[in-house]
Amino acid sequence: MKLIILGPPGSGKGTISELLCTKFRLFHISPGEILREEVKKETTIGREIKKYIDTGHLVPSQLVVEFVKLEIQRRKNYILDGFPRTVEQAEAIQDWNIDHVLYLDLDQEAVVRRLSGRRVCTKGIHNYHLTFLPPQNLGRCDIDGSPLLQREDDQPAVIKERFKVFTVETKPVITYYKQKGLLRTIDASGTPEEVYAKILKIIS
Ligand code: AP5
Ligand code: MG
């Protein structure tokens, strides 16, 4: 199964991807995570990428498409989390035979609530929320035990910019997949369990 999951920042793409990967043994491909890893390495390219992420802007599409292609190699079952984010990226993967494009629909107010309380493990893979999805041990990841941190782009001004970028650059991708008949829109305002249940109904 080949899935795409899209939605504004904080809509739950990462949270839902983790659940779907466990259930359906999918490979999780998140350009956001790949790019943050590159930033951590402090390479020349990593320093360039950081400028885009820290200001809430998209990293140039050509680079992101290359990273995703390298990750995906010959994999048959995967979920693309937050990719494609521009029509240019969508066109670059038009022959990938995607089964469903899941669109998590959420308003800006809820996005701010979710992102201001989000904490991620040191590896940047597992997501928590101080109120909505707290870890069992305060400040520690339930899965790998690493300390929980706040993401640098989860500052109020950057969150606002990321939402704007989503509206301008990624909404056209939603329209693109709607026209292709692949789009499944999900109201993402419920609890993670409710949102996940709606998605299972759609894909099974
Ligand atoms: P990326 O890392 O993908 O960030 P994002 O799209 O802004 O989305 P987030 O990861 O912030 O949120 P999410 O939807 O995964 O929500 P989560 O599950 O964590 O990208 C970062 C940057 O990388 C971009 O700004 C850009 O610079 C660059 N980039 C990435 N992809 C790119 C591309 N294709 N092209 C160019 N540049 C790219 O949930 C959020 C919080 O809410 C958590 O605390 C969680 O516990 C909680 N939560 C989740 N679900 C629920 C629920 N149902 N109810 C209550 N709380 C919930
Ligand atoms: Mg994410």
Side-chain angles (χ1 to χ4, degrees):
M1 181 159 53
K2 296 179 173 64
L3 301 175
I4 289 175
I5 188 160
L6 299 176
S11 54
K13 301 183 295 294
T15 305
I16 295 293
S17 295
E18 270 190 52
L19 297 170
L20 291 174
C21 285
T22 308
K23 179 157 178 78
F24 296 104
R25 297 182 175 209
L26 304 177
F27 186 68
H28 184 194
I29 300 169
S30 158
E33 279 170 22
I34 297 169
L35 295 167
R36 281 188 290 277
E37 276 307 307
E38 203 56 41
V39 171
K40 271 193 209 158
K41 290 184 205 156
E42 297 189 355
T43 54
T44 310
I45 202 159
R47 280 192 284 275
E48 274 306 302
I49 290 170
K50 183 169 165 48
K51 291 182 200 160
Y52 292 99
I53 295 186
D54 286 357
T55 51
H57 295 119
L58 294 183
V59 173
S61 283
Q62 248 185 326
L63 182 67
V64 179
V65 170
E66 282 314 309
F67 272 127
V68 173
K69 281 186 177 167
L70 274 177
E71 272 304 293
I72 218 155
Q73 301 284 338
R74 287 164 293 276
R75 293 186 190 273
K76 288 194 174 63
N77 298 298
Y78 54 77
I79 182 160
L80 297 169
D81 166 358
F83 179 89
R85 261 181 230 229
T86 62
V87 172
E88 186 190 353
Q89 291 175 14
E91 284 172 346
I93 64 157
Q94 56 186 313
D95 56 349
W96 284 18
N97 294 322
I98 300 296
D99 295 297
H100 299 286
V101 178
L102 307 169
Y103 167 39
L104 301 181
D105 191 13
L106 195 67
D107 63 41
Q108 188 168 357
E109 224 177 282
V111 159
V112 173
R113 267 199 310 275
R114 288 189 188 179
L115 291 185
S116 46
R118 170 166 61 186
R119 295 295 180 269
V120 293
C121 72
T122 310
K123 290 182 182 165
I125 300 171
H126 308 116
N127 280 303
Y128 300 88
H129 191 282
L130 295 179
T131 315
F132 307 135
L133 211 66
Q136 279 162 12
N137 298 309
L138 197 69
R140 293 259 160 205
C141 177
D142 292 344
I143 298 163
D144 61 38
S146 69
L148 298 180
L149 310 168
Q150 190 161 22
R151 246 170 65 175
E152 285 193 24
D153 58 347
D154 280 350
Q155 307 300 326
V158 187
I159 294 174
K160 206 169 150 202
E161 189 59 27
R162 284 158 67 200
F163 195 89
K164 198 166 112 197
V165 167
F166 170 78
T167 309
V168 175
E169 311 237 24
T170 308
K171 276 284 180 75
V173 180
I174 307 295
T175 310
Y176 174 93
Y177 284 121
K178 193 171 187 181
Q179 284 164 354
K180 291 197 175 296
L182 288 173
L183 194 76
R184 313 282 177 255
T185 301
I186 298 112
D187 171 5
S189 64
T191 64
E193 294 76 20
E194 284 165 354
V195 177
Y196 180 55
K198 282 182 207 165
I199 291 175
L200 283 187
K201 227 175 178 179
I202 290 172
I203 62 181
S204 40

